[in-house]
Structures are given as C-alpha cells and as structure tokens.
Amino acid sequence: MTGAPEGRKPVRVAMLGCGTVGAQVLRILDEQGGDLAARIGAPIELAGVAVRRPHRHPDVPQHLLTTDAEALVRSDVDIVVEVVGGIEPVRGLLLTALRNGKSVVSANKALLAEHAADLFAAADSAGADLYFEAAVAGAIPLVRPLRESLAGDRINRVMGIVNGTTNFILSAMDSTGASYAETLDEASRLGYAEADPTADVDGYDAASKAAILASIAFHTRVTAADVYREGIAAVTPADVAAAKTLGRTIKLLAICERIDGSVAVRVHPAMIPRGHPLASVGGAYNAVFVEADAAGSLMFYGQGAGGAPTASAVLGDLVAVARNKLSGGRGPGESSYAALPVVPIAQVNTRYHVSLDVADRAGVLSAVAAVFAEHDVSIAAVRQSGRGTDASLVIVTHYAPDEALRSTVEKVAGLPSVREVASVMRVEGEES
C-alpha cells in the first residue's frame, strides 16, 4: 500500500462480521488503504472476515471469508475488529483474542455495557488494547475525548441524545403532530428503524450507551442493569403539544450525573427547553452535552448511526491501535478507581409534568394540591382547562426526589375527583 515505509511488516487484521458497518469498513480500507498505511506507518493486511453465510457476501474476496471465527481470532493476527453485535459468542471470541495478546476494536455497546470489566481485565493481563469509539454515538468522537482529552478534568454530568431512531420519531412528532405509531412506521419506511425496533424505542440501546459513558466519565463500573430505563412508546401527541405550551420539546435523554458522592444513570423521555443545545438536534442525529469543572460545557454532535459513519469510528480506532502496536505502546485501559455507588432513580431529584383528567367540580385543585403538600412536593405551575368530561388539570413541579414524585402521583390517581392520570413526564433543564 502506498505511503507506508517500504519493507515495514504489515499489521494483520481479522474482522468479525460483515453487515452494514463491516461492509463499509472493507470499502474504506480498499479505497483509502494507502492513506491509512501512511498514517499508521505500516500497511494493513486483512487476514480474514468471519461470517455465518459466506454466499451473502459476493463482493468480499472468497479466500478471505470463513465461518470459523474461533480459528480466525487465534491465527497470526495483530488486531481483531468486531462488528457483529450481541453478547455470545462474541464475548468468548474477544476474550480469546485479548488473552492471546491481540488488540480489539469493537462497536458492540451491549457487550461493553455488560462485560467491559472482563474484557479490560483480559486486555490488561496480556498487554493488549481495547478500543470502542464506535459503540457510542456512531461517528461522533466521544469515547476518546472522555477517556483521554478530559482525563485531567472532573466530569459532573453527561446528558445526551444517543439513539437516532427515537430522535427521528420524536422530532417528527414535534414537527407534524403525528402519533407515535405513525412516525414509527415512517422511520421504518425510511430505514431509520429496525424490523424489530424494541431495542431502540424501549430504551435498551440508549441504556447500554449510558452505562458506557457513565463508566468512563465517573471512573466507576456501571452496567446496563444499573441504568433506569423508559422508552418512548407512551409519548402522545398531547404530550408533545403540552411541551410546546411550556416552550419545550420532548427528547429521549441519557443522563449520567454525580450526586453527593454517588452516580445516577437514567434513560427516559423528558421535556427540555427549546433554547437548550439538545433541543435543536433533529432527525436521526445524536448529540451529547458534557459538563466538567474546568472545561465547562461541551457539546458533541453528528451522525450517531449508519454504516459509513460508524465505520469511520471503527477505522479511527484501528489506526490508533495499529500505531500503538508499532510503537510498543498501549492506549488507556479501564479506569474504575473511584468505584462510586450507583443510586436508583428514586433518590434523584427530578421534576414532573403531570396531566390529570378530573371531575368538573369545586375543590378538585385543593384536593390535588393537598396530596402534593403531604409528600413535600412543591408545585411550580398549574393550568386548568375544559369543562365537563373534558376537564383537565396540568401540574408542573419543582425538583423533588423521584420517589416522592411517584408516590404523589399514585395517591393523586386514587382521589375520587381524578378520573385518570393522563400522562406523567419528567422535565429537564432550568425551571420556568
């Protein structure tokens, strides 16, 4: 490959998977191999590509394809690039690679959110690298800035939009007034939603990414099981309209924050001010807002998914790992020294927007307000509207422990004058 020093031994790479992302990795390697070699200081040699059904990959040279992933990762390669996804058998394959001294580049957020500790331990024991920029927010450089650029700072909060499918749906609901079901169908038609969108719309994808971000930002082991999670299926056009009346919009947020010597991590829809930097992030784009002591507020924005954008992140890691291999150095390992406790959302101070269908009679507001006072939840704003069967009451609270807010809503739901709790949504950002 042109650009590399003549006679320099190639860096041998094995790839696991050749789907949407893997195919783009191969394309860029083919088109830009000379430039990549020049940046690394040695050519990249693709040793093999492990796939389940070789006949589905006619564009890949057949001598590179194999169905024996185990043999490939044990062969004479320097780096294993994993773009398969899922937990098993990938976890075992990557542990095998790392324990044999082969560095790993992975785009697997689910695996890293569950088993990062084991993978890092194997990497450290063998002196190998584990890089995973592509696991969070696609092409957006986020993992490396948190691991390296901000390593000298104290990060207090990471809040962002880390799932393109849900952001496309909520953005469309906001701009058109359409229902969740209608916009999900549109997202599927345009290719923004998978055939089974559960991981996206129910928040599992965002929760895995939040666990990874919190682990890095707070030097604490956080798994997906530690993340409070709500999806967007219950968001209605009425919720979107209510947010607009408050000068807000609804986004599915991943929120990681320090709270009095502990860490809280949550994923849920929330109303945020339209003036917030995240409010203008539309379509399938991602953005993450980072707050640090010395650096202040930073925002990272870009394409959070897709074959080519994610391949860009994979190849950025590949170049970094290959350089480390040639120089005899290593990138950062796991940093979990802080070991902060992860607290449940019940202990987190949040704000609620509560919409109630109520009886059209005197005393309703006072009865509802009494329940809020009983639970020491302060009311920031109240709006009553409608008559008869259309009577409604909307309450926005001040900050209070989430447990107190939940208990308040549960008791309000049992009042004789309350026909139904129509919706409950958290509110983020400055009080208004």
Side-chain angles (χ1 to χ4, degrees):
M1 295 181 181
T2 60
E6 291 186 11
R8 195 71 185 260
K9 182 181 177 182
V11 177
R12 288 174 54 80
V13 175
M15 195 163 83
L16 307 182
C18 192
T20 301
V21 176
Q24 291 298 315
V25 169
L26 292 183
R27 178 186 65 79
I28 297 171
L29 279 174
D30 181 57
E31 294 177 358
Q32 301 181 25
D35 287 337
L36 294 172
R39 295 166 197 165
I40 292 168
I44 296 172
E45 181 182 324
L46 189 61
V49 181
V51 296
R52 287 187 297 172
R53 293 177 286 271
H55 68 276
R56 292 194 175 183
H57 306 278
D59 295 335
V60 181
Q62 293 302 293
H63 72 278
L64 291 175
L65 293 174
T66 178
T67 58
D68 194 343
E70 180 80 19
L72 182 60
V73 301
R74 289 182 179 275
S75 66
D76 182 22
V77 297
D78 302 301
I79 301 169
V80 174
V81 173
E82 183 267 312
V83 287
V84 178
I87 304 297
E88 297 294 353
V90 177
R91 174 179 169 273
L93 291 169
L94 296 191
L95 285 173
T96 296
L98 291 166
R99 287 167 180 164
N100 283 276
K102 306 171 197 307
S103 293
V104 165
V105 172
S106 176
N108 195 329
K109 65 251 181 190
L111 178 64
L112 287 157
E114 295 291 345
H115 299 288
D118 292 341
L119 294 170
F120 272 118
D124 289 343
S125 178
D129 275 333
L130 174 61
Y131 274 56
F132 48 93
E133 184 67 66
V136 182
I140 304 171
L142 181 60
V143 170
R144 199 171 303 164
L146 291 178
R147 291 176 87 187
E148 300 179 34
S149 303
L150 294 172
D153 208 341
R154 175 188 170 95
I155 298 173
N156 297 309
R157 200 165 197 253
V158 180
M159 180 173 79
I161 298 163
V162 295
N163 182 272
T165 300
T166 52
N167 198 53
F168 176 87
I169 291 171
L170 293 174
S171 296
M173 291 179 70
D174 183 83
S175 62
T176 68
S179 69
Y180 164 77
E182 290 170 329
T183 51
L184 175 57
D185 287 344
E186 179 70 0
S188 298
R189 186 182 69 80
L190 295 174
Y192 292 124
E194 301 286 346
D196 179 2
T198 302
D200 294 320
V201 299
D202 286 353
Y204 290 101
D205 176 85
S208 293
K209 294 170 181 175
I212 295 169
L213 293 175
S215 297
I216 301 169
F218 307 131
H219 306 280
T220 294
R221 286 178 180 169
V222 179
T223 69
D226 297 318
V227 181
Y228 174 81
R229 175 191 54 79
E230 285 182 22
I232 66 168
V235 178
T236 67
D239 293 326
V240 174
K244 286 183 177 181
T245 65
L246 296 173
R248 293 175 177 265
T249 188
I250 298 174
K251 298 292 185 182
L252 182 73
L253 298 180
I255 303 172
C256 318
E257 54 194 340
R258 292 180 185 266
I259 301 176
D260 299 327
S262 62
V263 172
V265 191
R266 49 197 167 106
V267 168
H268 55 71
M271 298 180 179
I272 61 173
R274 289 189 177 267
H276 192 283
L278 294 177
S280 61
V281 178
Y285 277 75
N286 284 191
V288 177
F289 201 69
V290 177
E291 298 174 15
D293 275 354
S297 297
L298 308 168
M299 193 170 97
F300 300 84
Y301 168 83
Q303 295 190 60
T310 306
S312 170
V314 169
L315 287 163
D317 279 353
L318 178 57
V319 168
V321 171
R323 286 171 173 169
N324 292 342
K325 175 73 177 177
L326 293 179
S327 67
R330 284 189 64 204
E334 182 186 31
S335 177
S336 59
Y337 73 90
L340 300 174
V342 183
V343 298
I345 194 172
Q347 299 178 31
V348 178
N349 282 340
T350 60
R351 299 173 63 205
Y352 274 21
H353 175 280
V354 184
S355 179
L356 307 172
D357 292 340
V358 297
D360 183 17
R361 61 171 180 259
V364 172
L365 178 57
S366 61
V368 170
V371 174
F372 277 77
E374 176 188 334
H375 290 82
D376 200 26
V377 175
S378 177
I379 295 175
V382 178
R383 186 178 75 253
Q384 293 178 274
S385 63
R387 304 284 295 179
T389 58
D390 292 327
S392 67
L393 186 65
V394 173
I395 295 174
V396 181
T397 75
H398 288 295
Y399 282 101
D402 200 85
E403 184 176 34
L405 290 162
R406 280 178 174 266
S407 298
T408 301
V409 172
E410 288 174 3
K411 187 159 186 179
V412 164
L415 293 175
S417 56
V418 175
R419 295 193 298 265
E420 181 187 11
V421 177
S423 75
V424 177
M425 185 167 296
R426 291 178 183 84
V427 180
E428 290 292 324
E430 296 300 319
E431 295 194 23
S432 56

